[in-house]
């Protein structure tokens, strides 16, 4: 018998009002249990971590648009960098700010590859604050044609365990053991989140992505837990199926329209999110968020630093802007969210201002002011 893990009232009400198949610019904004109250005067304080690479440029676009739209948000900005040491005071201060404000907007932080480097700050924030669910939206945007049409699926990724548990050791020189941790409790939690999400967004199918044919115990536990949870939703008409991760990768690039809601362990979610972003136009347009029972952090769904174009004023800020729109919905600022989301949609649909990733030559600044002109 599975233990019931209920969603918060605020999450339920937000998911219910989103409506079927709305554009990714204006939908799917889950809320955590405790939505922060506005300060005196109806303003909210939000932690802002611009991130490395293009982070400062895309965060600046968001701040400029918010100011033009008179959004009642005050920023606590921390210029954290993944290039700094693990005991960086700024990083610790940013985490404390998130604990205090409960809501954050974040760019992507660099993670060193060397074994001498610190653990990923991105992962550390999610695990320390138990933001267990990653949500990434992959949907075609009118005005930005891609190879596939009719793509519209959500990727829900377990954020706190799996291969990202960080438990590695060298048992013998030249022999490294890396532990993958899968628990029934956290598998059930993310599975239930996926089905509740599908139910309240008029989604029709949940697909569990796994490798249970090889990792029979770990992925087998994840898959079987999803199967058990699915039975509770059978009467609602939500279908359930599963797919091995390598086959899912092929199916995504050949027929992505077959997917609706996808739920998976940590590493697979990271890979599939990148594939999904590539299907709909790249990392510059895919929004996302990480949520838990107490905290919510909004960030681009495809986690690329963009170091190669840093400082060139050519980055597409859409992913960061649309992630901030999700944040506004979480805060209950729907009018401001709609205003900005519609402005982004109009800008892309018009096609007059395109950053290089969209086939144009416009700058980040050009795109930002085009959005403002469409408010």
């Amino acid at each position: 018998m599975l233990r019931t893990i209920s969603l918060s009232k605020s999450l339920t009400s937000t998911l219910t009002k989103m409506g079927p198949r709305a554009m990714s610019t204006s939908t799917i904004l889950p809320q955590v249990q405790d939505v922060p109250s506005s300060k005196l005067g109806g303003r909210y304080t939000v932690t802002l971590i611009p991130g490395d690479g293009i982070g400062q440029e895309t965060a600046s676009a968001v701040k400029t648009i918010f100011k033009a739209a008179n959004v009642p948000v005050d920023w606590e900005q921390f210029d954290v960098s993944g290039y700094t040491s693990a005991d960086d005071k700024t990083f610790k201060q940013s985490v404390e700010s998130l604990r205090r404000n409960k809501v954050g907007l974040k760019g992507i932080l660099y993670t060193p590859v060397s074994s001498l480097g610190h653990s990923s700050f991105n992962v550390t924030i999610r695990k320390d604050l138990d933001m267990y669910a990653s949500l990434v939206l992959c949907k075609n945007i009118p005005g930005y044609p891609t190879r596939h049409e009719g793509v519209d699926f959500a990727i829900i990724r377990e954020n706190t365990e799996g291969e990202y548990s960080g438990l590695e050791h060298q048992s013998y020189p030249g022999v490294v053991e890396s532990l993958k941790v899968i628990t029934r409790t956290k598998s059930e939690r993310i599975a239930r989140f996926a089905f509740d999400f599908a139910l309240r967004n008029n989604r029709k199918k949940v697909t569990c992505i796994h490798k249970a044919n090889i990792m029979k115990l770990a992925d087998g536990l994840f898959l079987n837990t999803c199967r058990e949870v699915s039975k509770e939703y059978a009467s609602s008409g939500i279908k359930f199926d599963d797919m091995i991760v390598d086959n899912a990768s092929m199916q995504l690039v050949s027929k992505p329209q077959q997917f609706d809601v996808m739920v998976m362990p940590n590493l697979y979610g990271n890979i599939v999110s990148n594939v999904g972003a590539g299907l709909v136009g790249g990392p510059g347009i895919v929004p996302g968020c990480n949520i838990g029972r107490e905290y919510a952090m909004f960030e681009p769904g495809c986690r690329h630093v963009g170091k190669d174009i840093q400082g060139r004023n050519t980055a597409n800020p859409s992913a960061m802007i649309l992630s901030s729109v999700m944040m506004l919905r979480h805060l209950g600022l729907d009018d401001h969210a709609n205003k900005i989301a519609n402005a982004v949609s109009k800008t892309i649909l018009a096609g007059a201002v395109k950053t290089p990733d969209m086939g144009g030559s416009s700058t980040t600044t050009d795109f930002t002011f085009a959005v403002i002109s469409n408010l």
Side-chain angles (χ1 to χ4, degrees):
M1 189 71 180
L2 287 174
R3 177 173 58 88
T4 299
I5 303 176
S6 60
L7 288 172
S8 67
K9 182 178 180 181
S10 58
L11 168 58
T12 301
S13 62
T14 300
L15 290 175
T16 302
K17 69 182 180 181
M18 287 173 190
R21 290 296 194 274
M23 283 189 62
S24 61
T25 52
S26 59
T27 188
I28 315 180
L29 303 168
Q31 294 183 348
V32 290
Q33 183 170 3
D34 298 320
V35 178
S37 300
S38 61
K39 296 191 301 182
L40 185 65
R43 301 188 66 83
Y44 296 83
T45 301
V46 172
T47 302
L48 174 62
I49 305 174
D52 289 312
I54 60 174
Q56 290 289 348
E57 296 159 75
T58 57
S60 178
V62 171
K63 290 189 291 183
T64 302
I65 292 169
F66 272 38
K67 184 177 181 180
N70 295 314
V71 178
V73 164
D74 298 316
W75 305 103
E76 282 187 1
Q77 181 169 334
F78 297 86
D79 294 330
V80 181
S81 174
Y83 292 98
T84 58
S85 61
D87 61 349
D88 181 60
K89 291 183 180 179
T90 307
F91 174 66
K92 293 180 180 179
Q93 291 170 353
S94 70
V95 175
E96 288 306 310
S97 175
L98 272 168
R99 290 186 188 277
R100 181 171 58 252
N101 297 326
K102 297 186 182 298
V103 177
L105 179 66
K106 172 183 161 295
I108 310 304
L109 295 169
Y110 169 78
T111 300
V113 176
S114 169
S115 60
L116 300 177
H118 60 75
S119 299
S120 169
F121 285 167
N122 302 293
V123 174
T124 299
I125 294 174
R126 298 195 292 266
K127 290 176 69 173
D128 284 0
L129 300 183
D130 196 30
M131 292 183 283
Y132 66 90
S134 167
L135 173 62
V136 176
L137 311 176
C138 298
K139 180 178 173 63
N140 291 124
I141 295 181
Y144 190 5
T146 58
R147 182 185 300 272
H148 295 282
E149 297 180 353
V151 178
D152 179 12
F153 59 85
I155 300 167
I156 295 174
R157 163 191 178 188
E158 205 293 316
N159 250 348
T160 62
E161 57 178 12
E163 294 85 354
Y164 284 46
S165 300
L167 302 175
E168 294 184 309
H169 65 275
Q170 183 172 260
S171 57
Y172 184 81
V175 179
V176 174
E177 296 181 41
S178 181
L179 302 181
K180 172 178 177 172
V181 178
I182 297 288
T183 64
R184 181 182 180 85
T185 298
K186 292 188 176 182
S187 297
E188 179 191 345
R189 183 170 67 170
I190 197 67
R192 193 173 299 282
F193 178 91
F195 278 95
D196 281 334
F197 171 87
L199 180 64
R200 291 174 173 85
N201 284 276
N202 294 310
R203 298 277 181 166
K204 304 303 181 185
K205 183 176 69 171
V206 174
T207 302
C208 172
I209 306 301
H210 64 89
K211 191 64 177 174
N213 59 324
I214 301 299
M215 287 171 275
K216 300 182 185 297
L217 294 180
D219 281 30
L221 175 61
F222 188 88
L223 172 59
N224 289 331
T225 302
C226 288
R227 283 174 174 166
E228 291 184 48
V229 171
S230 73
K231 296 175 184 177
E232 301 179 27
Y233 294 82
S235 60
S236 66
I238 298 176
K239 297 179 180 179
F240 173 75
D241 64 3
D242 66 272
M243 191 174 293
I244 295 172
V245 64
D246 38 344
N247 181 34
S249 300
M250 180 188 69
Q251 295 293 331
L252 274 168
V253 298
S254 58
K255 192 180 178 183
Q257 298 85 355
Q258 67 185 287
F259 295 104
D260 197 353
V261 176
M262 307 171 75
V263 61
M264 62 203 76
N266 213 330
L267 178 61
Y268 309 153
N270 186 23
I271 297 169
V272 169
S273 295
N274 280 266
V275 175
L279 290 171
V280 297
I285 63 167
V286 179
C289 66
N290 303 282
I291 63 177
R293 294 291 293 179
E294 293 186 71
Y295 309 100
M297 182 173 66
F298 300 82
E299 65 181 351
C302 192
R303 293 160 184 165
H304 289 270
V305 171
K307 179 71 174 177
D308 56 329
I309 58 172
Q310 178 181 353
R312 297 184 182 180
N313 197 26
T314 59
N316 186 344
S318 297
M320 193 70 156
I321 297 170
L322 297 179
S323 296
S324 74
V325 167
M326 295 174 72
M327 181 194 75
L328 292 178
R329 295 189 187 284
H330 166 72
L331 293 172
L333 299 172
D334 289 337
D335 288 343
H336 290 92
N338 291 337
K339 190 175 182 181
I340 295 173
N342 290 336
V344 173
S345 297
K346 289 178 182 177
T347 301
I348 295 175
L349 183 61
V353 180
K354 296 181 179 180
T355 48
D357 64 306
M358 304 179 77
S361 58
S362 302
T363 66
T364 307
T365 304
D366 293 335
F367 191 93
T368 301
F369 284 108
V371 171
I372 292 173
S373 69
N374 283 316
L375 288 173

mmCIF file of all heavy atoms in Angstrom, residues 20-39:
data_model
loop_
_atom_site.group_PDB
_atom_site.id
_atom_site.type_symbol
_atom_site.label_atom_id
_atom_site.label_comp_id
_atom_site.label_asym_id
_atom_site.label_seq_id
_atom_site.Cartn_x
_atom_site.Cartn_y
_atom_site.Cartn_z
ATOM 1 N N PRO A 20 -5.902 23.460 -20.480
ATOM 2 C CA PRO A 20 -5.303 22.441 -21.318
ATOM 3 C C PRO A 20 -4.375 23.010 -22.376
ATOM 4 O O PRO A 20 -4.692 23.977 -23.053
ATOM 5 C CB PRO A 20 -6.523 21.771 -21.966
ATOM 6 C CG PRO A 20 -7.554 22.844 -22.008
ATOM 7 C CD PRO A 20 -7.316 23.670 -20.779
ATOM 8 N N ARG A 21 -3.211 22.394 -22.479
ATOM 9 C CA ARG A 21 -2.305 22.630 -23.590
ATOM 10 C C ARG A 21 -2.018 24.108 -23.868
ATOM 11 O O ARG A 21 -1.869 24.516 -25.009
ATOM 12 C CB ARG A 21 -2.860 21.990 -24.859
ATOM 13 C CG ARG A 21 -2.825 20.463 -24.841
ATOM 14 C CD ARG A 21 -1.389 19.989 -24.778
ATOM 15 N NE ARG A 21 -1.290 18.588 -25.075
ATOM 16 C CZ ARG A 21 -1.435 17.627 -24.186
ATOM 17 N NH1 ARG A 21 -1.703 17.919 -22.938
ATOM 18 N NH2 ARG A 21 -1.295 16.357 -24.542
ATOM 19 N N ALA A 22 -2.000 24.930 -22.831
ATOM 20 C CA ALA A 22 -1.650 26.328 -23.051
ATOM 21 C C ALA A 22 -0.187 26.425 -23.451
ATOM 22 O O ALA A 22 0.592 25.517 -23.233
ATOM 23 C CB ALA A 22 -1.900 27.135 -21.780
ATOM 24 N N MET A 23 0.181 27.556 -24.050
ATOM 25 C CA MET A 23 1.561 27.723 -24.464
ATOM 26 C C MET A 23 2.488 27.684 -23.271
ATOM 27 O O MET A 23 2.126 28.069 -22.170
ATOM 28 C CB MET A 23 1.735 29.057 -25.184
ATOM 29 C CG MET A 23 1.231 29.049 -26.604
ATOM 30 S SD MET A 23 1.719 30.570 -27.427
ATOM 31 C CE MET A 23 3.506 30.434 -27.359
ATOM 32 N N SER A 24 3.705 27.234 -23.500
ATOM 33 C CA SER A 24 4.665 27.134 -22.416
ATOM 34 C C SER A 24 4.986 28.486 -21.811
ATOM 35 O O SER A 24 5.498 28.570 -20.705
ATOM 36 C CB SER A 24 5.956 26.483 -22.917
ATOM 37 O OG SER A 24 6.560 27.245 -23.926
ATOM 38 N N THR A 25 4.670 29.562 -22.530
ATOM 39 C CA THR A 25 4.919 30.887 -21.979
ATOM 40 C C THR A 25 3.913 31.247 -20.910
ATOM 41 O O THR A 25 4.073 32.240 -20.225
ATOM 42 C CB THR A 25 4.843 31.939 -23.100
ATOM 43 O OG1 THR A 25 3.615 31.788 -23.812
ATOM 44 C CG2 THR A 25 6.001 31.787 -24.058
ATOM 45 N N SER A 26 2.848 30.469 -20.765
ATOM 46 C CA SER A 26 1.804 30.892 -19.833
ATOM 47 C C SER A 26 1.157 29.732 -19.093
ATOM 48 O O SER A 26 -0.007 29.794 -18.743
ATOM 49 C CB SER A 26 0.725 31.666 -20.599
ATOM 50 O OG SER A 26 0.170 30.861 -21.619
ATOM 51 N N THR A 27 1.901 28.680 -18.852
ATOM 52 C CA THR A 27 1.270 27.545 -18.203
ATOM 53 C C THR A 27 2.251 26.782 -17.324
ATOM 54 O O THR A 27 3.436 27.077 -17.277
ATOM 55 C CB THR A 27 0.677 26.587 -19.259
ATOM 56 O OG1 THR A 27 -0.095 25.593 -18.599
ATOM 57 C CG2 THR A 27 1.760 25.902 -20.057
ATOM 58 N N ILE A 28 1.692 25.810 -16.607
ATOM 59 C CA ILE A 28 2.434 24.835 -15.828
ATOM 60 C C ILE A 28 3.376 25.483 -14.824
ATOM 61 O O ILE A 28 4.579 25.414 -14.953
ATOM 62 C CB ILE A 28 3.209 23.852 -16.729
ATOM 63 C CG1 ILE A 28 2.306 23.373 -17.870
ATOM 64 C CG2 ILE A 28 3.680 22.653 -15.957
ATOM 65 C CD1 ILE A 28 2.948 22.405 -18.822
ATOM 66 N N LEU A 29 2.800 26.080 -13.824
ATOM 67 C CA LEU A 29 3.590 26.767 -12.815
ATOM 68 C C LEU A 29 3.254 26.239 -11.425
ATOM 69 O O LEU A 29 2.511 26.863 -10.681
ATOM 70 C CB LEU A 29 3.323 28.271 -12.884
ATOM 71 C CG LEU A 29 3.609 28.851 -14.255
ATOM 72 C CD1 LEU A 29 3.063 30.244 -14.367
ATOM 73 C CD2 LEU A 29 5.083 28.828 -14.523
ATOM 74 N N PRO A 30 3.778 25.054 -11.067
ATOM 75 C CA PRO A 30 3.462 24.488 -9.770
ATOM 76 C C PRO A 30 3.950 25.369 -8.633
ATOM 77 O O PRO A 30 4.969 26.041 -8.750
ATOM 78 C CB PRO A 30 4.218 23.156 -9.764
ATOM 79 C CG PRO A 30 4.730 22.968 -11.117
ATOM 80 C CD PRO A 30 4.717 24.274 -11.817
ATOM 81 N N GLN A 31 3.225 25.340 -7.537
ATOM 82 C CA GLN A 31 3.620 26.104 -6.365
ATOM 83 C C GLN A 31 3.936 25.174 -5.201
ATOM 84 O O GLN A 31 3.423 24.070 -5.111
ATOM 85 C CB GLN A 31 2.510 27.073 -5.953
ATOM 86 C CG GLN A 31 2.268 28.167 -6.983
ATOM 87 C CD GLN A 31 1.221 29.145 -6.511
ATOM 88 O OE1 GLN A 31 0.525 28.903 -5.550
ATOM 89 N NE2 GLN A 31 1.112 30.258 -7.207
ATOM 90 N N VAL A 32 4.760 25.661 -4.302
ATOM 91 C CA VAL A 32 5.093 24.885 -3.125
ATOM 92 C C VAL A 32 4.062 25.160 -2.047
ATOM 93 O O VAL A 32 3.142 25.942 -2.226
ATOM 94 C CB VAL A 32 6.505 25.261 -2.628
ATOM 95 C CG1 VAL A 32 7.540 24.764 -3.600
ATOM 96 C CG2 VAL A 32 6.633 26.751 -2.448
ATOM 97 N N GLN A 33 4.209 24.532 -0.912
ATOM 98 C CA GLN A 33 3.184 24.621 0.118
ATOM 99 C C GLN A 33 3.034 26.039 0.665
ATOM 100 O O GLN A 33 1.944 26.553 0.833
ATOM 101 C CB GLN A 33 3.511 23.670 1.269
ATOM 102 C CG GLN A 33 2.429 23.657 2.348
ATOM 103 C CD GLN A 33 2.649 22.548 3.339
ATOM 104 O OE1 GLN A 33 3.613 21.818 3.265
ATOM 105 N NE2 GLN A 33 1.726 22.424 4.275
ATOM 106 N N ASP A 34 4.155 26.675 0.959
ATOM 107 C CA ASP A 34 4.111 27.999 1.568
ATOM 108 C C ASP A 34 4.527 29.056 0.559
ATOM 109 O O ASP A 34 5.708 29.309 0.363
ATOM 110 C CB ASP A 34 5.033 28.051 2.788
ATOM 111 C CG ASP A 34 4.602 27.070 3.862
ATOM 112 O OD1 ASP A 34 3.390 26.952 4.082
ATOM 113 O OD2 ASP A 34 5.478 26.427 4.468
ATOM 114 N N VAL A 35 3.541 29.674 -0.090
ATOM 115 C CA VAL A 35 3.841 30.773 -0.998
ATOM 116 C C VAL A 35 4.152 31.997 -0.147
ATOM 117 O O VAL A 35 3.385 32.353 0.741
ATOM 118 C CB VAL A 35 2.648 31.065 -1.921
ATOM 119 C CG1 VAL A 35 2.959 32.243 -2.829
ATOM 120 C CG2 VAL A 35 2.306 29.833 -2.726
ATOM 121 N N PRO A 36 5.290 32.652 -0.358
ATOM 122 C CA PRO A 36 5.662 33.782 0.489
ATOM 123 C C PRO A 36 4.668 34.926 0.398
ATOM 124 O O PRO A 36 4.143 35.228 -0.670
ATOM 125 C CB PRO A 36 7.040 34.190 -0.051
ATOM 126 C CG PRO A 36 7.102 33.628 -1.415
ATOM 127 C CD PRO A 36 6.291 32.375 -1.395
ATOM 128 N N SER A 37 4.408 35.536 1.541
ATOM 129 C CA SER A 37 3.502 36.673 1.574
ATOM 130 C C SER A 37 4.234 37.918 1.079
ATOM 131 O O SER A 37 5.438 38.053 1.260
ATOM 132 C CB SER A 37 2.999 36.903 3.005
ATOM 133 O OG SER A 37 2.314 35.766 3.484
ATOM 134 N N SER A 38 3.481 38.816 0.448
ATOM 135 C CA SER A 38 4.087 40.061 -0.003
ATOM 136 C C SER A 38 4.384 40.952 1.190
ATOM 137 O O SER A 38 3.732 40.871 2.230
ATOM 138 C CB SER A 38 3.157 40.780 -0.976
ATOM 139 O OG SER A 38 1.934 41.090 -0.337
ATOM 140 N N LYS A 39 5.383 41.788 1.018
ATOM 141 C CA LYS A 39 5.706 42.740 2.064
ATOM 142 C C LYS A 39 4.691 43.888 2.026
ATOM 143 O O LYS A 39 3.803 43.934 1.194
ATOM 144 C CB LYS A 39 7.122 43.286 1.850
ATOM 145 C CG LYS A 39 8.208 42.251 1.963
ATOM 146 C CD LYS A 39 9.582 42.892 2.016
ATOM 147 C CE LYS A 39 9.877 43.737 0.803
ATOM 148 N NZ LYS A 39 11.242 44.317 0.842
#
